[in-house]
């Protein structure tokens, strides 16, 4: 959508906050490079990536020429992958203990039943690691039992007849049982090493990290959010036309908290630059529906009423890992008469991707969760690369754009209290 005012963006600073991702941030640079080139070729504009950022910051520069205007953008990844990696360093028994604890938190608080009233996809995604880890454990135990019984029978067949008596039987049974147990342990370790195919440990650690304090942020993340706020505040006092914060998946609620803190502390200039928040594929209810998420609920309410930023929330029903078209403010019970944001609409994967492309991707659930950062071969009014590198601010681009009529815009959470 075009601009509805004379505001044009010549220089932009973009901050990207990833979701619960243990991988180095360079994957996002490569994704932007390849998918940005593909989208530029499809849509017909120029997009050129430049070098990295100064110091120990990670990011890249982009020069674009769209609709006859050149724009310079600097995109920085706000890294918390080290915190993610640390939270994933758990033994196999500790992971199964996290499974029990996390399931109990969501069930005992009633959050699970409320989440099931939203979208089936993310609830299935939440139940998947539980079912998969239990299936892996049952398979390993079954293998161990088969090895134990099979070896016990085999040993009796091959050993001499003179090797008899209760002591011999006990030795044979013990040896077979130990080998069976080792086989079970080996298979469980193999499952963990092959989690790049199953994603059971990955998702279990993700949900356990969110639920560990019943919705409150863990101590490890708070200092990092403060650092994120400092670098965003510095950009807001620089010579750029727009500061855009992009929060993807779990990064969406982190972005909400960071910007809410900045606004509450009055660290956002009254005039330029424009400030925008783009939340993509959010999973906010996984946190905000828990009893001790008062801080996040406060931040959602605060941000939804502000006039000094624009907040656009994009999801898609085709993304089974997000709460598609669920207004994160409203479903968390934070809708007020002063609510202005977010503008909630769908990336409409089934329409913005060709039938052939959709068929190729529809069962690749985790790949689809990243489609917001990728090229569309039949783009509609959502184009990640024009939003982050184009000449129109987020507010102007979607001014007058109606929200999706099928969005869920009423309170569903059992817990609605907010922090101070």
């Amino acid at each position: 959508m075009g601009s509805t005012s004379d505001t044009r963006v010549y220089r932009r600073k973009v901050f990207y906050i990833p979701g619960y991702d243990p991988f180095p941030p360079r994957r996002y640079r490569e994704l932007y490079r390849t998918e940005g080139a593909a989208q530029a070729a499809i849509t017909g504009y120029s997009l050129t990536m430049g070098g990295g950022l100064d110091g120990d910051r990670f990011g890249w520069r982009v020069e674009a020429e769209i609709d006859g205007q050149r724009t310079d953008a600097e995109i920085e990844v706000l890294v918390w992958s080290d915190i993610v990696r640390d939270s994933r360093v758990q033994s196999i028994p500790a992971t199964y203990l996290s499974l029990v604890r996390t399931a109990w938190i969501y069930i005992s608080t009633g959050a699970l039943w409320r989440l099931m009233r939203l979208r089936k996809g993310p609830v299935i995604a939440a139940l998947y690691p539980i079912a998969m880890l239990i299936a892996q454990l049952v398979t390993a135990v079954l293998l161990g039992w088969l090895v134990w019984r099979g070896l016990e029978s085999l040993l009796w067949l091959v050993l001499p007849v003179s090797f008899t008596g209760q002591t011999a039987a006990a030795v044979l049974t013990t040896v077979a049982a130990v080998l069976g147990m080792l086989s079970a342990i080996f298979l469980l370790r193999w499952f963990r090493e092959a989690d790049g195919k199953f994603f059971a440990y990955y998702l279990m650690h993700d949900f356990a990290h969110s639920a560990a304090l019943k919705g409150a942020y863990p101590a490890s993340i708070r200092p990092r959010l403060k650092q994120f706020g400092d670098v965003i505040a510095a950009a807001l006092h620089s010579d750029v036309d727009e500061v855009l914060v992009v929060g993807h998946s779990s990064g969406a609620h982190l972005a909400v908290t960071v910007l809410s803190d900045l606004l509450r502390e009055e660290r956002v200039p009254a005039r330029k630059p424009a400030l925008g928040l783009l939340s993509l594929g959010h999973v906010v209810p996984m946190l905000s529906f828990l009893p001790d998420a008062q801080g996040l609920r406060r931040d959602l309410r605060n941000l939804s009423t502000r006039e000094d930023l624009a907040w656009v929330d994009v999801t898609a029903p085709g993304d089974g890992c997000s709460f598609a078209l669920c207004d994160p403010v409203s479903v968390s019970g934070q809708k007020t008469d002063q609510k202005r944001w977010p503008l909630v609409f769908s990336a409409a994967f089934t329409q913005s991707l060709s039938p052939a492309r959709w068929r190729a991707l529809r069962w690749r659930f985790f790949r689809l969760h990243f489609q917001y950062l990728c090229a569309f071969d039949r783009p509609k009014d959502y184009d990640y690369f024009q939003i982050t590198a184009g000449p129109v601010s987020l507010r102007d681009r979607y001014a007058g754009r109606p929200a999706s009529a099928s969005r869920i815009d009423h309170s569903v959470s059992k817990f609605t209290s907010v922090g101070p």
Side-chain angles (χ1 to χ4, degrees):
M1 298 180 67
S3 173
T4 60
S5 71
D6 294 331
T7 303
R8 305 296 284 178
V9 176
Y10 295 91
R11 296 186 62 208
R12 176 185 286 107
K13 179 68 180 185
V14 180
F15 294 98
Y16 174 75
I17 304 180
Y20 187 84
D21 188 349
F23 299 104
R26 60 177 177 270
R27 70 181 303 192
Y28 296 106
R29 177 178 59 196
E30 181 62 17
L31 187 67
Y32 197 100
R33 183 186 69 79
T34 56
E35 295 295 327
Q39 191 67 75
I42 291 167
T43 309
Y45 52 79
S46 172
L47 194 73
T48 305
M49 282 185 60
L53 307 184
D54 299 330
D56 57 358
R57 299 176 302 152
F58 186 89
W60 57 91
R61 294 177 172 85
V62 183
E63 293 181 1
E65 184 170 345
I66 300 173
D67 297 333
Q69 180 186 314
R70 291 185 61 83
T71 307
D72 293 320
E74 190 176 83
I75 301 176
E76 181 172 350
V77 180
L78 298 181
V79 179
W80 63 295
S81 55
D82 57 320
I83 296 175
V84 173
R85 287 194 297 271
D86 289 344
S87 74
R88 286 164 50 86
V89 180
Q90 297 184 24
S91 65
I92 293 174
T95 298
Y96 279 91
L97 181 61
S98 292
L99 182 156
V100 174
R101 184 188 303 117
T102 303
W104 173 248
I105 288 172
Y106 278 107
I107 293 172
S108 65
T109 61
L112 179 61
W113 322 122
R114 300 284 176 145
L115 292 170
M116 292 173 68
R117 292 166 55 182
L118 295 176
R119 301 295 183 190
K120 295 179 180 178
V123 175
I124 293 173
L127 295 175
Y128 165 79
I130 297 175
M132 178 57 74
L133 286 171
I134 291 174
Q136 291 178 4
L137 180 61
V138 170
T139 303
V141 170
L142 179 60
L143 174 66
W145 183 84
L146 290 174
V147 170
W148 171 27
R149 291 304 188 189
L151 284 177
E152 191 177 39
S153 300
L154 181 62
L155 288 173
W156 278 110
L157 288 174
V158 300
L159 288 174
V161 176
S162 59
F163 193 79
T164 58
Q166 292 184 351
T167 301
V171 170
L172 289 177
T173 299
T174 301
V175 170
V178 168
L179 291 175
M181 183 176 63
L182 291 176
S183 299
I185 293 173
F186 174 82
L187 184 58
L188 285 173
R189 288 182 174 177
W190 182 87
F191 279 132
R192 185 175 63 175
E193 293 301 318
D195 199 55
K197 298 179 180 179
F198 301 111
F199 295 101
Y201 282 82
Y202 170 79
L203 286 172
M204 190 68 257
H205 291 146
D206 187 357
F207 297 131
H209 184 260
S210 297
L213 299 178
K214 296 185 178 180
Y217 285 127
S220 59
I221 197 69
R222 268 296 175 185
R224 192 63 54 89
L225 297 182
K226 178 66 168 58
Q227 293 176 18
F228 292 174
D230 290 342
V231 297
I232 294 172
L236 286 166
H237 290 85
S238 67
D239 186 22
V240 297
D241 301 303
E242 182 182 40
V243 171
L244 176 64
V245 179
V246 180
H248 176 239
S249 192
S250 299
H253 57 256
L254 298 183
V256 165
T257 292
V258 170
L259 289 180
S260 181
D261 287 346
L262 287 177
L263 289 162
R264 189 166 46 250
E265 295 164 5
E266 299 183 348
R267 301 175 70 188
V268 176
R271 304 182 69 181
K272 287 187 71 174
L275 176 59
L277 169 60
L278 177 65
S279 50
L280 303 172
H282 80 80
V283 291
V284 169
M286 292 299 298
L287 208 66
S288 67
F289 278 30
L290 292 172
D292 293 342
Q294 293 97 335
L296 175 57
R297 291 192 289 266
R298 173 205 61 201
D299 297 337
L300 289 165
R301 176 180 293 193
N302 177 36
L303 223 59
S304 71
T305 64
R306 304 295 301 212
E307 297 183 5
D308 39 8
L309 90 161
W311 178 8
V312 174
D313 180 75
V314 182
T315 51
D319 173 17
C321 296
S322 75
F323 284 90
L325 298 180
C326 295
D327 185 314
V329 174
S330 298
V331 300
S332 302
Q334 304 310 311
K335 184 177 182 179
T336 64
D337 293 340
Q338 292 76 41
K339 181 178 181 293
R340 300 169 55 90
W341 307 109
L343 169 64
V344 176
F345 68 86
S346 174
F349 290 172
T350 57
Q351 301 173 41
S352 52
L353 294 169
S354 65
R357 187 64 178 147
W358 174 244
R359 283 195 299 271
L361 293 176
R362 67 178 304 178
W363 302 115
R364 297 175 59 189
F365 301 113
F366 294 101
R367 168 60 178 79
L368 280 173
H369 193 45
F370 284 85
Q371 179 59 40
Y372 311 98
L373 312 178
C374 299
F376 291 88
D377 55 357
R378 289 188 176 179
K380 293 168 66 74
D381 63 347
Y382 173 75
D383 181 330
Y384 180 66
F385 306 97
Q386 290 201 54
I387 292 172
T388 55
V392 184
S393 69
L394 186 71
R395 182 187 294 269
D396 287 347
R397 180 173 296 278
Y398 293 110
R401 206 269 192 215
S404 292
S406 59
R407 73 192 184 282
I408 300 177
D409 192 34
H410 57 270
S411 179
V412 180
S413 177
K414 173 182 177 181
F415 304 100
T416 59
S417 62
V418 297

